[in-house]
Amino acid sequence: MASKEPSKTAAGTTTGYGSCPICKAPTEMAFRPLCSARCRDVDLSRWLRGGYAIPGGQVETDEDGEDAAARRAPPSAGDDGDENA
């Protein structure tokens, strides 16, 4: 039965639980949840480039159900912006 405790590698570093999500190597406690500085840098690069962004669809209406384009429309030529005039 496998132990749930971290183990020491031949180099004397402590491995963590699981595997690196970038390269699937055993994790190192110093870089957890990754395995090395290289994988840490690859992960940071993916974050900065938007690689982990969740794509969204085009929204036609806002949360209130109003057309977002209608709210951004410029005022008409005779309208000075004062509704009480």
Side-chain angles (χ1 to χ4, degrees):
M1 188 160 142
S3 172
K4 299 256 181 186
E5 295 296 317
S7 61
K8 296 258 184 188
T9 64
T13 59
T14 305
T15 61
Y17 307 103
S19 61
C20 175
I22 305 297
C23 71
K24 308 301 183 218
T27 61
E28 294 289 332
M29 293 302 279
F31 302 105
R32 195 164 172 216
L34 306 168
C35 68
S36 65
R38 178 196 168 276
C39 285
R40 180 190 61 205
D41 292 343
V42 169
D43 185 59
L44 177 62
S45 175
R46 288 180 184 175
W47 276 106
L48 295 176
R49 291 181 183 186
Y52 294 130
I54 298 173
Q58 184 68 17
V59 178
E60 294 180 15
T61 59
D62 64 8
E63 293 176 353
D64 297 332
E66 298 173 4
D67 188 16
R71 293 179 56 199
R72 289 187 299 239
S76 60
D79 188 11
D80 62 358
D82 188 11
E83 295 179 10
N84 296 329

